[in-house]
Each structure stands twice: as structure tokens, then as C-alpha cells.
Amino acid sequence: EDQVTQSPEALRLQEGESSSLNCSYTVSGLRGLFWYRQDPGKGPEFLFTLYSAGEEKEKERLKATLTKKESFLHITAPKPEDSATYLCAVRLSGAGSYQLTFGKGTKLSVIP
Amino acid sequence: DTAVSQTPKYLVTQMGNDKSIKCEQNLGHDTMYWYKQDSKKFLKIMFSYNNKELIINETVPNRFSPKSPDKAHLNLHINSLELGDSAVYFCASSQGGGLQETQYFGPGTRLLVL
């Protein structure tokens, strides 16, 4: 069965302490891996899409990378405003191409 | 300018009632979705419509019935509400199923069934 697993479930960082979030997937026919940010009480906000192994995308303090089995979201020198739940999702080829399969998310807390 | 909007934002109701949630997108997208996020924050697809046609219908009780009057709207009607229906329901939209597709989410409707 296709599966998306995110780790850790929760992460507390001091402001400025860099770290990485992991998203591993066991799916066949990957057509895209998506990273979203979700703030409490709000809908997921799109961050990045990665399509092929070796691809990297950057936005401010965030950098997403993709291998054949996992993706990392690297956070460099985080600030308190980076606190949120980060969701990873995959889109498959074929009949499943219209839907996203989400992981359970990593809740990031950045302490001043 | 809200890209994907949902109404109501909060919905508190009694078990057994029938309720509807509305979604509208002004992005010009042709595909819309309903997701359910449970108490553990797990986000799961329920339905998807492309050009007003149902293309995804996951294992969801038939008490849930989506309706798409046009490409910009996708409503969700729920009959005979149960306690387990309490969750946050998110609407999303995208432009087709091509490689460049990105799904944009609404703010969510928080449903509490008492």
C-alpha cells in the first residue's frame, strides 16, 4: 500500500538552530512530491513541488530536496515565525494522479 | 482577494441533522477537492471534481454528497450527521492533473457534531 511517513512528529528548535524534516514514501509512479505549511486554524499553504530525484527548491530559510525514497525540508537559522506544521504529500501517476496523499505532518516550534 | 473560500467557517450541530458546506474558487481552476482533517491532523482526500464531473470518490459514507454546479463551486452536503463526522473539512482547487498542478486550499470548515 502506498504510504507517506513524516518524521519527527514534533520538533522544538531554538531560534537560529538549523535542522531538517524528513518525508519518506513507499509509492510507485511518483508524479510529484509537495511540501505545505499549515498554521493553526488555517488551510495548508503551498511551499514547494519536487518532481525528480536530485531536484532542490529554496524559499527564504527553507530548502527542499528529493531522492528516490525520501524528501528533506531543511530549515536554516529558523525564526519563531517558522513555527507551523509542515505537511508532505505525494501525487501518483495513472488513476491516482488527481489526488494528493498526505503524511501526518511535523509540528515545528521555534523558541526565541 | 481570497483564492479559495469556504462557508461557514464554523458549524456546530446536533447528531442526525443535515448540513451543507460551500466552497468557491476564483483562480479559474477546473478541478476541485474535498479533504477531511481528523483530530490527529491527518488530511485525507474525500472527493474530486474535474469540470463538474466526479473523478475521485474515496471510501466515504454515502451520507456525504458533493455537488458541483459549475467549475468555480463545489459544495458538500452531509445527511444524518454522526459524532464521527466532527473534523475540519478543507476545499482545494487546482488546474487539471498535469505535472504543473498545485492544489490550493481554503481556510477550512470546522464541524462539531454534538
Side-chain angles (χ1 to χ4, degrees):
Chain A
E1 182 182 325
D2 296 333
Q3 192 169 5
V4 180
T5 304
Q6 291 188 246
S7 61
E9 287 188 15
L11 181 62
R12 284 172 63 96
L13 298 173
Q14 290 294 127
E15 185 172 0
E17 180 187 1
S18 301
S19 188
S20 296
L21 313 182
N22 177 262
C23 172
S24 63
Y25 56 93
T26 54
V27 301
S28 54
L30 182 73
R31 284 287 296 270
L33 186 139
F34 297 76
W35 282 100
Y36 284 83
R37 168 191 171 131
Q38 186 173 23
D39 292 297
K42 296 192 175 180
E45 176 188 344
F46 172 73
L47 292 174
F48 303 109
T49 310
L50 301 166
Y51 294 107
S52 56
E55 189 174 359
E56 298 182 354
K57 294 260 178 89
E58 282 190 72
K59 179 180 179 181
E60 296 180 356
R61 295 175 293 282
L62 300 177
K63 179 179 173 180
T65 61
L66 181 65
T67 71
K68 287 188 177 179
K69 292 188 176 181
E70 58 190 349
S71 176
F72 290 94
L73 185 65
H74 306 278
I75 304 176
T76 302
K79 297 182 178 182
E81 53 262 41
D82 295 322
S83 297
T85 295
Y86 290 85
L87 300 170
C88 165
V90 298
R91 189 172 76 237
L92 310 176
S93 60
S97 66
Y98 278 93
Q99 70 185 74
L100 294 180
T101 300
F102 280 86
K104 295 186 177 180
T106 293
K107 184 176 180 180
L108 174 66
S109 302
V110 182
I111 313 302
Chain B
D1 273 354
T2 303
V4 182
S5 59
Q6 296 179 227
T7 54
K9 188 169 182 180
Y10 297 97
L11 185 54
V12 182
T13 187
Q14 298 288 329
M15 236 176 12
N17 283 351
D18 302 338
K19 291 292 179 185
S20 291
I21 307 172
K22 296 186 176 182
C23 178
E24 176 180 3
Q25 54 94 5
N26 62 7
L27 297 168
H29 290 163
D30 61 3
T31 306
M32 296 184 72
Y33 311 79
W34 278 110
Y35 285 85
K36 179 180 180 180
Q37 189 170 45
D38 60 26
S39 57
K40 295 182 180 179
K41 308 297 183 187
F42 188 43
L43 201 60
K44 191 166 183 183
I45 184 76
M46 298 174 69
F47 300 104
S48 176
Y49 270 74
N50 175 253
N51 282 318
K52 302 195 300 176
E53 285 191 31
L54 182 65
I55 53 172
I56 294 174
N57 184 359
E58 290 296 299
T59 307
V60 176
N62 57 14
R63 298 181 294 104
F64 290 78
S65 53
K67 284 188 171 56
S68 181
D70 54 58
K71 285 197 311 183
H73 296 85
L74 179 62
N75 303 324
L76 184 64
H77 187 76
I78 315 170
N79 289 326
S80 302
L81 278 155
E82 300 178 357
L83 295 177
D85 298 332
S86 296
V88 183
Y89 293 85
F90 288 100
C91 176
S93 74
S94 67
Q95 184 54 37
L99 278 180
Q100 300 307 315
E101 172 195 348
T102 294
Q103 293 184 19
Y104 294 91
F105 285 78
T109 294
R110 283 139 192 87
L111 171 65
L112 178 60
V113 182
L114 302 175

